Amino acid sequence: MTEPPARPTVDVVIPCYNYARFLRACVKSVLDQPGVDVRVLIIDDTSSDETPEVMAELTQDPRVEGRRHEVNRGHIATYNEGLLEWAKADYTVLLSADDLLAPGALARAAEVFEAHPNVGMVYGRVVYYSDHNDLPSVLTPPAGRTVWSGVDWIEARCRTGQNVLSSPEAVVRTSVQQEVGGYRPDLPHAGDLEMWMRIAAVSDIGYVRGKPAAYYRVHQQSMMRTRFSSLFADLEQRQAVFERFFAEHPHLPPRLRSLANRSIAKDALWRAVRAYDRDKLDEIPVDELVAFARRVFPDTERLAEYRALRRRRALGPKVCSRTQLFVGSHLAKRGAGVVGKQVWKWRGQ
């Protein structure tokens, strides 16, 4: 009698620091995944709440394992411990203790991996929420899948200068993850983007359309991250990510590096533009933003955002703010952003 083929295996690494109140629901969202054999790897980074007790309860299930640090090691070291030292399955997921996998997400990702051996990472749509007991309803686009070559996926990141993943929706082939390494400790605020690009440099990237892949909880820490990303430091972090990535991958087309620098320069200039529109020159360092844009992209004066800034400088911030002469360009850019988000929900780019 022929034995049925082995099911794909997935290790789900769950770092936990004082998130005992979320841990049960998070682990349940993994154990309920159909079509794959899962192993949950909980790493308690010296929590001071009830995490040890909850972890002891959860590890009564043989599919759940746990370990606790004697000294707090921080999130980057904890992530890498799980991804590089502990995970051994076919595929790996890094899932924060307050996030959730969507039903069937791992099986859908595994199907893409099994059909495309060159794919190193598969992701799907992420849904943002704040309450485990009140998950938002979402409009589900038609099911399907897309596979990009790694270079094409990297080019898309360079065109926007932005990340498109929150993290829990990403499933990575474990052999690829361990080949490229984990998170960089010196890139604490944009290191996930750099790691995704390293994966794309050695493999293809898949996207699953239709049902969500994960639920990402919006909370105080993520709000702090949003505030961080509104500051000048975010531009420097993202530019450092691209600089480091291309320095370590000189075989990639040089135009991609220029494209990334152009995108980040455009972002810096638009922040300067908005400072004039809102009369906030005392809060936003316009001159530093312009100098940064020139440094990363020498042809800055050819950009539409630079011309927009020059027009506003001629009028001054008070006139721009009180008359809202340029509100049309702002609305157009905002509309393009809304459309872009909808396209991303359907296409993953």
Side-chain angles (χ1 to χ4, degrees):
M1 182 177 179
T2 304
E3 293 186 4
R7 301 202 304 179
T9 60
V10 185
D11 282 346
V12 180
V13 177
I14 302 180
C16 188
Y17 180 69
N18 290 340
Y19 273 172
R21 63 194 184 278
F22 301 115
L23 191 55
R24 291 183 182 89
C26 177
V27 171
K28 185 177 187 301
S29 77
V30 179
L31 298 180
D32 287 349
Q33 293 288 314
V36 294
D37 290 334
V38 297
R39 184 174 63 140
V40 177
L41 310 176
I42 303 172
I43 307 178
D44 175 11
D45 195 23
T46 324
S47 298
S48 58
D49 64 359
E50 297 77 26
T51 294
E53 291 79 9
V54 175
M55 187 168 66
E57 169 196 321
L58 293 170
T59 52
Q60 293 180 21
D61 188 310
R63 296 172 294 172
V64 181
E65 301 177 26
R67 58 174 65 167
R68 176 176 167 85
H69 292 160
E70 294 185 3
V71 177
N72 182 274
R73 297 180 58 188
H75 65 285
I76 297 296
T78 303
Y79 296 169
N80 289 341
E81 176 185 348
L83 296 174
L84 306 180
E85 301 174 21
W86 201 358
K88 304 297 180 186
D90 299 328
Y91 313 115
T92 306
V93 176
L94 178 68
L95 184 67
S96 293
D98 60 333
D99 294 337
L100 303 168
L101 291 182
L106 297 185
R108 291 190 289 272
E111 288 177 0
V112 179
F113 283 120
E114 299 296 310
H116 301 275
N118 291 330
V119 165
M121 180 174 73
V122 176
Y123 64 104
R125 179 180 174 185
V126 67
V127 176
Y128 298 98
Y129 79 102
S130 58
D131 185 353
H132 276 155
N133 298 315
D134 188 24
L135 295 179
S137 59
V138 295
L139 178 64
T140 302
R145 63 181 67 163
T146 302
V147 173
W148 298 280
S149 72
V151 172
D152 286 346
W153 195 84
I154 292 168
E155 179 171 350
R157 302 289 67 72
C158 294
R159 287 190 180 280
T160 66
Q162 300 282 352
N163 197 357
V164 292
L165 285 87
S166 299
S167 184
E169 71 273 33
V171 186
V172 180
R173 195 181 295 273
T174 304
S175 60
V176 172
Q177 179 75 76
Q178 297 182 352
E179 173 188 350
V180 304
Y183 288 83
R184 308 283 199 193
D186 57 336
L187 296 171
H189 298 288
D192 47 359
L193 171 60
E194 190 266 348
M195 189 176 72
W196 306 142
M197 291 197 298
R198 268 187 280 134
I199 292 171
V202 300
S203 66
D204 296 338
I205 304 295
Y207 181 75
V208 178
R209 299 189 301 277
K211 296 178 180 178
Y215 294 89
Y216 179 88
R217 190 174 76 91
V218 179
H219 53 97
Q220 187 63 31
Q221 185 176 0
S222 60
M223 289 171 63
M224 289 173 60
R225 184 170 181 176
T226 300
R227 287 199 296 272
F228 173 89
S229 68
S230 70
L231 301 176
F232 188 79
D234 169 62
L235 294 165
E236 295 182 315
Q237 274 278 315
R238 284 190 284 129
Q239 202 267 336
V241 160
F242 285 106
E243 282 297 304
R244 178 161 183 172
F245 173 74
F246 285 112
E248 294 181 355
H249 298 84
H251 63 284
L252 292 171
R255 64 181 177 80
L256 296 182
R257 188 174 197 164
S258 178
L259 191 60
N261 287 338
R262 180 177 183 271
S263 298
I264 293 173
K266 286 165 66 71
D267 191 353
L269 292 173
W270 185 250
R271 297 181 192 208
V273 165
R274 293 300 294 150
Y276 273 85
D277 288 345
R278 295 178 292 175
D279 191 11
K280 291 192 174 182
L281 269 66
D282 56 336
E283 299 178 24
I284 299 175
V286 169
D287 290 341
E288 288 88 343
L289 288 168
V290 174
F292 172 82
R294 284 192 171 121
R295 187 168 68 251
V296 302
F297 189 70
D299 291 334
T300 288
E301 295 184 9
R302 295 169 49 191
L303 299 176
E305 288 79 3
Y306 184 84
R307 296 192 295 272
L309 178 60
R310 190 166 54 191
R311 290 192 292 270
R312 286 160 173 81
R313 276 180 159 166
L315 294 172
K318 295 192 181 302
V319 172
C320 294
S321 175
R322 291 173 182 173
T323 65
Q324 291 296 299
L325 286 174
F326 303 106
V327 67
S329 62
H330 171 61
L331 292 176
K333 197 171 186 71
R334 177 183 288 182
V338 171
V339 171
K341 286 182 179 178
Q342 293 303 316
V343 170
W344 169 79
K345 289 178 182 178
W346 287 64
R347 296 179 52 195
Q349 286 274 32

